[in-house]
């Protein structure tokens, strides 16, 4: 049982490298959702096995075994290691839970403030212009979606560049990128290795919106120039928007500009299938290991309750 419980805790360490490969070999949209889905499942499996460690450790102690109506305390092959592992797992779960709740509350407050600010301004369709000396532009999800841009940002760009910038933000809303960004922020608190995946997911969301904007305005150089100028204008600005509200100046802008200027990547179906298969295999292995370990724990508990024979 213990090796199976360790596997879902180790597999997320392989995801940062796989995520970077996915972004390099798959289209940005496919990479965005493939990596996000994999990260969410790996985070869930890691939390599940931490909870299983805690349960097994508690049920090896007579007081908790009595509370669980066990005939005798739970027995495992590695009883000496299980209780310390349960203590460490309990601490990890408590830390993850605390940071998850704190992050969710902070993001919720920022989102409500941004929606309230947008509601106070007259909107032209989905566009909301905020009178501010801080250059900023971002996609604000909700009902209805909004593209929020400050007057300082509009003054920093010429007409065609504004069109490219707004196309970028509208692509975020149309693609539902806020879901992936919110998920990336949450899973980053579930496993240390997934913190590095968060940056890759953010870059994938920006690259997907960049490509959509370039297709919309029909000019990759114009889109690259708009993003670069928006980033330069807003680099010293402080935005209070929530982390899952993506902006055109987010992420590693030089890398994004370089990708736009380089033109569309030639299709590499074999490399894309290989990295997709690796992501799927990593996720499936973690899910199977956590499910098998959980079923084994359940069987041991039933044996200890006297409901089944060993």
């Amino acid at each position: 049982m213990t090796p199976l419980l360790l596997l879902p805790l180790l597999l997320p360490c392989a995801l940062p490298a796989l995520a970077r490969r996915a972004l390099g070999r798959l289209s940005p949209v496919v990479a965005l959702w493939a990596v996000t889905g994999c990260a969410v499942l790996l985070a869930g499996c890691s939390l599940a096995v931490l909870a299983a460690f805690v349960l097994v450790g508690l049920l090896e102690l007579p007081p908790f075994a009595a509370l669980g109506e066990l005939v005798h305390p739970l027995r495992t092959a590695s009883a000496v290691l299980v209780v310390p592992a349960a203590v460490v797992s309990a601490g990890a779960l408590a830390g993850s839970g605390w940071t998850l709740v704190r992050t969710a509350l902070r993001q919720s407050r920022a989102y409500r403030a941004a929606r309230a600010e947008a509601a106070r301004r007259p909107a032209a369709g989905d566009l909301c212009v905020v009178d501010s000396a801080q250059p900023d532009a971002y996609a604000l999800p909700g009902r209805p979606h909004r593209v929020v841009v400050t007057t300082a940002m509009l003054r920093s760009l010429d007409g065609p560049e504004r069109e490219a910038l707004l196309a970028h933000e509208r692509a975020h809303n149309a693609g539902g990128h806020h879901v992936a960004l919110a998920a990336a922020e949450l899973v980053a608190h579930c496993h240390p290795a997934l913190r590095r995946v968060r940056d890759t997911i953010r870059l994938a969301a920006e690259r997907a919106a960049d490509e959509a904007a370039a297709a919309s305005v029909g000019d990759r150089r114009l889109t690259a120039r708009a993003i670069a100028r928006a980033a330069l204008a807003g680099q010293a600005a402080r935005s209070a928007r929530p982390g899952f509200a993506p902006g055109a100046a987010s992420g590693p802008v030089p890398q994004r500009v370089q990708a736009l200027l380089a033109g569309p990547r030639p299709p590499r179906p074999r490399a894309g299938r290989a990295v997709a298969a690796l992501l799927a295999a990593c996720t499936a292995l973690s899910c199977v290991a956590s499910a098998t370990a959980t079923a084994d724990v359940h069987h041991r508990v039933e044996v200890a309750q006297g409901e089944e024979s060993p």
Side-chain angles (χ1 to χ4, degrees):
M1 178 186 66
T2 302
L4 286 175
L5 287 175
L6 289 176
L7 193 56
L9 298 177
L10 297 176
L11 284 172
C13 298
L15 189 57
L18 287 177
R20 290 191 295 271
R21 284 180 174 271
L23 187 54
R25 289 165 174 76
L26 301 173
S27 70
V29 173
V30 174
L32 171 65
W33 295 110
V35 172
T36 301
C38 186
V40 169
L41 289 173
L42 289 178
C45 291
S46 65
L47 292 179
V49 298
L50 287 176
F53 266 125
V54 173
L55 178 63
V56 171
L58 288 176
L59 293 181
E60 283 201 357
L61 303 176
F64 290 98
L67 287 175
E69 299 182 351
L70 271 61
V71 176
H72 52 77
L74 201 65
R75 295 189 180 93
T76 61
S78 53
V80 177
L81 299 177
V82 168
V83 173
V87 173
V88 173
S89 299
L93 282 175
S96 294
W98 168 249
T99 56
L100 276 172
V101 170
R102 187 176 60 181
T103 299
L105 290 176
R106 184 177 65 251
Q107 296 292 331
S108 178
R109 286 194 298 267
Y111 174 72
R112 289 197 300 268
R115 290 296 302 185
E117 176 70 18
R120 289 194 296 267
R121 309 289 177 175
D126 65 343
L127 180 61
C128 177
V129 179
V130 177
D131 186 12
S132 173
Q134 298 288 334
D136 198 11
Y138 57 92
L140 185 62
R143 294 185 179 181
H145 290 322
R146 288 280 184 258
V147 173
V148 180
V149 59
T150 65
T151 52
M153 180 61 80
L154 292 177
R155 287 193 295 267
S156 302
L157 308 175
D158 60 26
E161 290 168 351
R162 293 173 189 168
E163 182 183 354
L165 178 73
L166 296 179
H168 174 98
E169 303 304 343
R170 290 185 173 116
H172 279 310
N173 279 334
H177 298 167
H178 59 280
V179 176
L181 294 176
E185 185 64 34
L186 294 178
V187 301
H189 300 290
C190 297
H191 194 286
L194 298 180
R195 294 171 190 167
R196 289 177 287 162
V197 178
R198 173 176 53 188
D199 294 335
T200 304
I201 292 175
R202 288 174 175 171
L203 176 57
E206 295 304 326
R207 287 282 297 112
D210 290 344
E211 293 295 330
S216 177
V217 301
D219 191 335
R220 298 181 70 87
R221 286 188 171 275
L222 170 63
T223 306
R225 188 170 71 248
I227 289 168
R229 292 190 65 181
L232 286 173
Q235 63 182 350
R238 293 185 178 181
S239 176
R241 67 174 183 262
F244 57 83
S250 303
V253 173
Q255 186 175 342
R256 293 167 53 199
V257 169
Q258 183 181 9
L260 282 168
L261 295 179
R265 288 195 304 257
R268 300 174 61 186
R270 183 175 297 179
R273 286 195 296 269
V275 73
L278 286 173
L279 285 172
C282 184
T283 305
L285 186 59
S286 181
C287 290
V288 169
S290 61
T292 304
T294 302
D296 182 62
V297 171
H298 182 262
H299 173 72
R300 289 172 183 273
V301 170
E302 289 185 333
V303 169
Q305 287 176 331
E307 297 178 7
E308 288 190 10
S309 58

